[in-house]
């Protein structure tokens, strides 16, 4: 890479800057640019290809090729050398183009074949915009100076394209970020939403691309980097020493902020004519291009760190903070790469929908989105690059599909869907106060899962008869530090107040596996789902469990209390946990505090082992609740967090139904109260099947109560039970078809 003041790129950028300053329509400007690149670099051909749509490149301006082929010649992504540059996002530099793999002669350009070819991707922060090409008659490879110069120009072109510099009178080009675009992601919270884009982290716009004064740009860069370093140091200071993971991340940040290689590359770009911010962004773009090709998780994390750091630096340099002055639309759909649970709670119910590039079904953000019943689509690749604040957007949480800037047909179809959903909601509203009694007269109890204060209004709105599972860990997950006993006690008290006479089952802390507390030491385990989690942590390090039990007893202020231990795999674990409850009670009595009038202590059945525990154990517990999410993952040995296997096995699989029935029968024999609180309880068909085999208390997300009740009111459970039995005796792998048929009659 050249490091001299009068490099090719410097001269070229100087001329480019003059062209940019001239008043000109988009096409005229592009024509001038191709002319001056060819002229400055002394080659016969310079052409700019831009994407018409995500699959098609179009020749948009050329110096040297047949002018009539402009806007006529088109290539598919991956077609010919130009298409390959775009697809691979890599430079192709060859002295013998025809012998390169993928070469295609474009006869319509009317030109002879130029043996020398240099193609450079035009991309901005990983978004592919086009390809810049120079060609020459003399068979030679282009020098590293020339390649570098072309790269820098491509970067400037990308920025100009972003700013709409090529759109205007006479130009056949479309502006960027205006086409309807569909994203196919994964579903994390169902529901359909219509609204306008609100970017969690707005894009930084770089308007000042080229500079004639590298020295002052270097000073600007160094000042900004100093500011960045000291802010990272401040963050490091503020992290508690025990917080290993956060420390690691920040140390990596600091390493990058101090990395001489990174700084050297940026400074070279400045010397060669870019402004400080354009140089930072150029480095960021190459890092993103690398990111797209890296599969190693550790490396990806590091490149992501670098990306975040570049963003911070850009914000300092351009003075564009997170606050852009833009106003949040009235119907915001939040777009982010990822988001933390606390940040999401800050937005609260104002959001109509959420779309994330990353995220996972079990992430904390997902938990919060579910509690708030906000449709959430995850894994929508590149949406933060494509979407602009204020763009119209439709989110289909059922299918995991997002339509950005939808055309009329899509928007109309979507409106129908929303109208249908609203009708269904009306129907559910009308049956809210109705008792759930099936057609054949069986009474089913529908209760809800909760965990955040945001859930409490749902107790009233959904018609839930109580809280079957209060996930206490959510309060721990959305905080940056461990909550104290009195804080917890006040909070549990408010939950009980809101519930009034309704029963609330508080599950003690269920952390580990996918639920990691940022402020507690995190142990790296080979198989976290099978690891040190839930009650195992509670028994080995009982401090938090004891604090929680005390907080619960105090919050009850003499009222009835239900406590449930998660992930009990063998009876002795329950015994040890129950002993902690007894100790806490004794202590409270000693202190002269009131204790609950009636205290129930139960266990979650989440491992197959517990189904085979002794009948004495079943008699001993006050109640059992089947944690179907975990139980199913262990029954089928299929990780609930792994998209590759998550949906592979049907809950209504004949074997699994038989297993659930075995648990139910044991509970009947031992007179043990039983409920089911996994996600499946909230799916109407699954709920009907569970009720049919005799599990008559179902705990689910509040939003599921309406649809499940609606289904059960019209279901004949005895018919469903016979259908399940005959599917099993027929040897069917799943009872699903039989259940669906029985529900139709
Ligand atoms: C379950 O495993 O089914 C359950 C309800 O617990 P969680 O989803 O919180 O692990
Ligand atoms: Mg569980």
């Amino acid at each position: 890479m050249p490091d001299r003041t009068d490099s090719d790129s410097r001269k070229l950028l100087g001329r480019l800057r003059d062209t940019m300053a001239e008043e000109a329509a988009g096409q005229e400007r592009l024509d001038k640019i191709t002319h001056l690149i060819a002229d400055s670099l002394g080659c016969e051909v310079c052409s700019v290809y831009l994407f018409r749509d995500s699959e098609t490149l179009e020749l948009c301006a050329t110096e040297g090729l047949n002018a009539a082929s402009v806007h006529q010649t088109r290539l598919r992504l991956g077609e010919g050398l130009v298409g390959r540059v775009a697809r691979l996002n890599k430079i192709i530099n060859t002295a013998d183009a025809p012998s390169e793999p993928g070469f295609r002669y474009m006869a319509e350009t009317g030109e002879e074949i130029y043996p020398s070819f240099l193609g450079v991707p035009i991309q901005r922060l990983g978004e592919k915009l086009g390809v810049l090409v120079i060609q020459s008659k003399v068979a030679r490879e282009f020098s590293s100076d020339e390649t570098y110069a072309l790269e820098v120009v491509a970067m400037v072109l990308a920025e100009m394209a972003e700013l709409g510099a090529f759109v205007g009178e006479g130009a056949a080009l479309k502006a960027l970020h205006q086409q309807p675009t569909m994203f196919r992601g994964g579903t994390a919270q169902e529901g359909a939403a219509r609204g306008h884009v609100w970017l969690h982290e707005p894009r930084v716009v770089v308007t000042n691309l080229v500079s004639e004064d590298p020295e002052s740009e270097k000073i600007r860069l160094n000042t900004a980097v100093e500011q960045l370093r000291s802010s990272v140091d401040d963050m490091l200071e503020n992290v508690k020493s025990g917080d290993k993971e956060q420390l690691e991340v920040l140390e990596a940040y600091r390493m990058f902020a101090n990395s001489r290689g990174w700084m050297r590359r940026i400074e070279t770009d400045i010397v060669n004519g870019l402004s400080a911010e354009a140089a930072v962004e150029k480095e960021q773009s190459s890092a993103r291009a690398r990111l797209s090709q890296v599969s190693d998780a550790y490396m990806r994390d590091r490149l992501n760190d670098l990306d975040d750091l570049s963003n911070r630096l850009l914000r300092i340099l351009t003075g564009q903070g997170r606050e852009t002055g833009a106003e949040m639309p009235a119907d915001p759909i939040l777009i982010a790469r990822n988001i933390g649970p606390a940040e999401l709670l800050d937005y609260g119910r104002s959001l109509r929908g959420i779309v994330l590039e990353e995220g996972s079904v079990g992430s904390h953000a997902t938990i919060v989105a579910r509690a708030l019943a906000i449709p959430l689509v995850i894994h929508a690749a590149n949406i933060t690059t494509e979407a602009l604040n204020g763009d119209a957007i439709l989110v289909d949480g059922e299918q995991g599909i997002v339509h950005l800037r939808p055309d009329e047909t899509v928007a109309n179809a979507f409106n129908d869907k929303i109208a249908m959903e609203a009708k269904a909601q009306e129907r559910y509203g009308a049956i809210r106060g109705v008792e759930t009694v099936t057609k054949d007269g069986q009474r089913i109890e529908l209760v809800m899962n909760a965990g955040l204060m945001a859930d409490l209004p749902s107790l009233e709105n959904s018609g839930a008869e109580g809280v079957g599972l209060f996930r206490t860990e959510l309060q721990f997950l959305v905080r940056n530090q461990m909550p104290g006993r009195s804080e917890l006690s006040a909070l549990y008290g408010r939950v009980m107040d809101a519930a009034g006479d309704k029963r609330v089952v508080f599950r003690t802390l269920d952390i580990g596996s996918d639920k990691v507390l940022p402020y507690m030491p995190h142990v790296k385990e080979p198989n976290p789902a099978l690891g040190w989690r839930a009650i195992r942590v509670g028994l080995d390090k009982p401090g938090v469990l004891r604090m929680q039990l005390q907080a619960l007893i105090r919050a009850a202020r003499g009222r009835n209390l239900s406590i449930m231990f998660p992930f009990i795999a063998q009876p002795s674990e329950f015994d040890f946990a129950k002993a902690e409850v007894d100790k806490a009670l004794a202590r409270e009595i000693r202190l002269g505090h009131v204790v609950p009038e009636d205290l129930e202590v139960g266990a979650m059945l989440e491992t197959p082992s517990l189904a085979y525990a002794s009948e004495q154990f079943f008699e001993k517990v006050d109640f059992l609740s089947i944690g179907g999410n975990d139980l199913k993952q262990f029954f089928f040995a299929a990780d609930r967090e792994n998209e590759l296997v998550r949906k592979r096995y049907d809950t209504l699989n004949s074997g699994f139904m038989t297993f659930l029935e075995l648990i139910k029968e044991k509970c009947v024999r031992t007179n043990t109260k039983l409920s089911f609180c996994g996600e499946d309880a909230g799916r109407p068909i699954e709920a009907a099947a569970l009720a049919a085999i005799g599990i008559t208390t179902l705990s689910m997300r509040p939003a599921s109560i309406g649809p499940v009740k609606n289904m059960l009111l019209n279901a004949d459970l005895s018919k469903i039970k016979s259908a399940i039995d005959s599917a099993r005796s027929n040897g069917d792998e799943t009872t699903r078809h039989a259940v669906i048929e029985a529900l139709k009659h």
Side-chain angles (χ1 to χ4, degrees):
M1 217 177 274
D3 191 7
R4 51 194 162 84
T5 44
D6 60 346
S7 64
D8 289 338
S9 58
R10 226 188 132 60
K11 279 189 283 185
L12 183 50
L13 281 183
R15 293 180 66 187
L16 202 55
R17 181 191 166 88
D18 298 339
T19 311
M20 276 153 58
E22 284 169 22
E23 276 288 320
Q27 185 65 48
E28 192 187 341
R29 189 176 258 156
L30 263 185
D31 292 341
K32 280 190 179 163
I33 290 173
T34 49
H35 170 77
L36 84 83
I37 296 173
D39 186 48
S40 299
L41 297 180
C43 47
E44 289 86 5
V45 177
C46 173
S47 315
V48 174
Y49 297 81
L50 295 173
F51 276 101
R52 270 223 88 81
D53 54 56
S54 59
E55 289 297 314
T56 324
L57 283 155
E58 180 176 305
L59 176 65
C60 286
T62 185
E63 170 74 20
L65 297 184
N66 185 357
S69 58
V70 171
H71 297 305
Q72 301 305 318
T73 295
R74 289 186 184 169
L75 293 154
R76 283 191 318 280
L77 184 62
E79 186 186 352
L81 292 189
V82 173
R84 277 171 70 82
V85 170
R87 197 184 65 203
L88 304 174
N89 214 356
K90 268 197 177 149
I91 294 173
I92 294 182
N93 181 3
T94 174
D96 185 9
S99 67
E100 281 293 310
F103 174 81
R104 174 163 111 57
Y105 175 54
M106 294 177 292
E108 69 273 24
T109 60
E111 300 299 313
E112 63 201 274
I113 297 172
Y114 292 94
S116 307
F117 173 101
L118 172 61
V120 172
I122 303 174
Q123 52 122 351
R124 182 181 189 267
L125 301 178
E127 180 184 18
K128 293 175 178 177
L129 302 171
V131 177
L132 176 62
V133 175
I134 52 175
Q135 290 170 277
S136 145
K137 274 185 193 157
V138 188
R140 64 176 183 98
E141 267 197 25
F142 290 93
S143 70
S144 61
D145 261 22
E146 288 164 319
T147 311
Y148 179 76
L150 207 63
E151 258 188 295
V152 171
V153 173
M155 142 96 197
V156 173
L157 284 178
E159 289 300 327
M160 290 169 75
E162 172 74 23
L163 295 170
F166 306 131
V167 185
E169 228 179 296
L173 295 182
K174 291 211 177 78
L176 290 170
H177 307 289
Q178 286 191 1
Q179 317 271 8
T181 312
M182 186 178 95
F183 297 85
R184 220 174 258 285
T187 169
Q189 164 67 21
E190 293 86 359
R194 179 178 47 196
H196 291 90
V197 167
W198 181 249
L199 292 166
H200 181 53
E201 293 226 307
R203 299 155 74 92
V204 177
V205 184
V206 177
T207 43
N208 155 34
L209 298 166
V210 180
S211 156
E212 278 183 339
D213 185 357
E215 285 318 307
S216 71
E217 289 303 302
K218 276 201 221 170
I219 293 170
R220 282 184 65 227
L221 174 73
N222 282 312
T223 320
V225 167
E226 271 318 306
Q227 205 178 321
L228 177 74
R229 284 178 188 154
S230 76
S231 73
V232 174
D233 286 345
D234 286 351
M235 285 193 274
L236 265 167
E237 290 256 304
N238 290 332
V239 176
K240 303 262 172 328
S241 52
D243 201 338
K244 240 177 90 205
E245 203 156 82
Q246 212 180 339
L247 270 174
E248 256 175 36
V249 170
L250 287 174
E251 289 290 357
Y253 254 48
R254 179 151 72 180
M255 197 183 80
F256 280 125
N258 291 324
S259 148
R260 278 208 248 122
W262 187 53
M263 281 297 283
R264 205 172 333 111
R265 284 195 301 274
I266 297 175
E267 283 186 350
T268 307
D269 293 332
I270 291 178
V271 169
N272 286 306
L274 290 183
S275 68
E277 46 269 57
V280 172
E281 203 175 272
K282 179 167 175 290
E283 274 313 301
Q284 193 180 11
S285 281
S286 357
R288 285 227 181 144
R290 284 203 297 280
L291 189 65
S292 64
Q293 275 149 24
V294 170
S295 56
D296 178 74
Y298 179 80
M299 273 307 292
R300 284 187 69 85
D301 279 352
R302 297 291 76 83
L303 284 167
N304 267 323
D305 287 347
L306 187 57
D307 198 59
D308 282 345
L309 210 61
S310 306
N311 269 335
R312 280 170 195 267
L313 193 53
L314 277 178
R315 287 184 203 288
I316 298 174
L317 279 166
T318 57
Q320 296 168 24
R322 289 194 177 199
E323 313 301 328
T324 54
E327 258 199 40
M328 184 148 92
D331 49 5
I333 306 267
L334 187 76
I335 307 288
R337 218 163 65 184
N338 216 341
I339 189 163
E343 287 170 303
L344 200 49
L345 275 175
D346 280 347
Y347 284 107
R349 289 185 198 275
S350 62
L351 300 176
R352 291 277 173 92
I354 307 163
V355 185
L356 301 179
E357 278 189 7
E358 297 171 6
S360 78
V361 272
S363 78
H364 311 147
T366 303
I367 292 168
V368 173
R370 284 186 175 167
L372 299 173
I374 300 173
L376 165 62
V377 169
I378 54 176
H379 304 156
N382 294 326
I383 191 156
T384 58
T385 327
E386 186 58 44
L388 295 184
N389 266 339
D391 280 348
I393 184 169
L394 309 173
V395 179
D396 182 342
E398 245 84 38
Q399 308 288 328
I401 289 176
V402 176
H403 299 279
L404 184 65
R405 303 180 286 264
D407 59 30
E408 219 180 298
T409 345
V410 172
N412 288 342
F414 204 82
N415 286 344
D416 292 346
K417 194 182 166 96
I418 287 191
M420 264 165 62
E421 249 181 45
K423 271 221 176 91
Q425 287 305 331
E426 246 174 58
R427 257 201 325 275
Y428 305 147
I431 56 171
R432 189 169 50 206
V434 175
E435 267 199 352
T436 315
V437 180
T438 63
K439 258 172 89 186
D440 54 335
Q442 308 209 40
R443 171 79 169 92
I444 308 295
E445 188 186 26
L446 302 184
V447 287
M448 68 177 229
N449 294 345
L452 296 169
M453 295 317 277
D455 289 319
L456 296 183
S458 302
L459 247 170
E460 188 61 37
N461 307 336
S462 67
E465 295 176 67
V467 177
L469 166 67
F470 190 90
R471 290 180 163 107
T472 59
E473 62 277 8
L474 301 196
Q475 293 298 337
F476 286 72
L477 284 167
V478 296
R479 278 178 170 68
N480 294 323
Q481 58 189 42
M482 177 85 77
R485 191 187 52 206
S486 49
E487 192 188 346
L488 283 182
S489 170
L491 200 138
Y492 299 150
R494 268 190 281 154
V495 175
M496 291 182 215
D497 293 345
D501 293 340
K502 293 176 179 169
R503 174 175 179 246
V504 180
V505 178
F506 289 95
R507 175 176 76 181
T508 61
L509 204 58
D510 181 8
I511 49 155
S513 189
D514 60 311
K515 299 168 191 155
V516 179
L517 296 185
Y519 44 85
M520 261 169 68
H522 174 49
V523 191
K524 279 222 161 29
E525 298 176 278
N527 287 305
L530 304 177
W532 199 53
R533 51 176 293 200
I535 198 64
R536 299 171 180 179
V537 181
L539 294 178
D540 293 351
K541 295 247 182 263
V544 181
L545 179 65
R546 287 178 185 153
M547 171 184 81
Q548 241 198 328
L549 292 174
Q550 239 177 26
L552 281 167
I553 294 170
R554 289 192 184 175
R557 296 194 307 274
R559 291 173 283 192
N560 295 348
L561 178 63
S562 300
I563 296 175
M564 174 161 76
F565 295 116
F567 215 65
I568 297 286
Q570 58 182 13
S572 60
E573 287 169 338
F574 178 78
D575 295 339
F576 287 124
K578 174 88 188 316
E580 292 294 342
V581 178
D582 294 338
K583 270 192 260 175
L585 274 178
R587 186 158 181 270
E588 291 304 292
I589 292 170
R590 240 189 356 261
L591 291 171
H593 295 158
V594 283
V595 293
E597 198 166 303
D598 183 28
L599 175 63
E600 296 181 294
V601 185
M604 284 193 76
L605 196 157
E606 304 188 86
T607 63
S609 63
L610 204 67
Y612 297 99
S614 66
E615 296 218 341
Q616 285 87 332
F617 165 75
F618 276 67
E619 277 158 7
K620 186 164 29 182
V621 294
D622 292 324
F623 62 89
L624 283 174
S625 190
I626 297 175
N629 307 336
D630 274 312
L631 188 63
K632 192 176 151 193
Q633 80 165 335
F634 299 123
F635 188 82
F636 290 108
D639 187 344
R640 64 192 260 192
E641 284 295 308
N642 181 341
E643 289 299 324
L644 294 173
V645 297
R646 200 166 70 81
K647 295 191 190 139
R648 197 178 177 97
Y649 304 100
D650 189 0
T651 306
L652 301 188
N653 166 288
S654 298
F656 193 53
M657 291 303 280
T658 304
F659 181 56
L660 293 177
E661 228 175 347
L662 172 148
I663 299 167
K664 192 258 347 195
E665 273 157 15
K666 212 158 165 179
C667 285
V668 171
R669 273 201 307 280
T670 53
N671 202 15
T672 310
K673 225 171 8 180
L674 177 69
S675 65
F676 188 105
C677 63
E679 291 299 313
D680 287 312
R683 303 194 171 102
I685 295 170
E686 280 81 344
L690 292 170
I693 59 166
I695 303 177
T696 52
T697 298
L698 302 173
S699 192
M700 63 199 73
R701 289 189 236 161
S704 301
I705 289 189
V708 167
K709 190 189 277 190
N710 189 45
M711 176 70 94
L712 288 174
L713 289 175
N714 297 302
D716 182 332
L717 295 188
S718 56
K719 274 198 188 142
I720 298 173
K721 171 72 167 95
S722 319
I724 292 173
D725 288 341
S726 51
R728 282 189 296 204
S729 52
N730 287 344
D732 294 355
E733 183 166 275
T734 173
T735 65
R736 179 169 298 274
H737 315 300
V739 172
I740 293 174
E741 275 311 306
L743 278 165
K744 285 185 190 155
H745 302 297

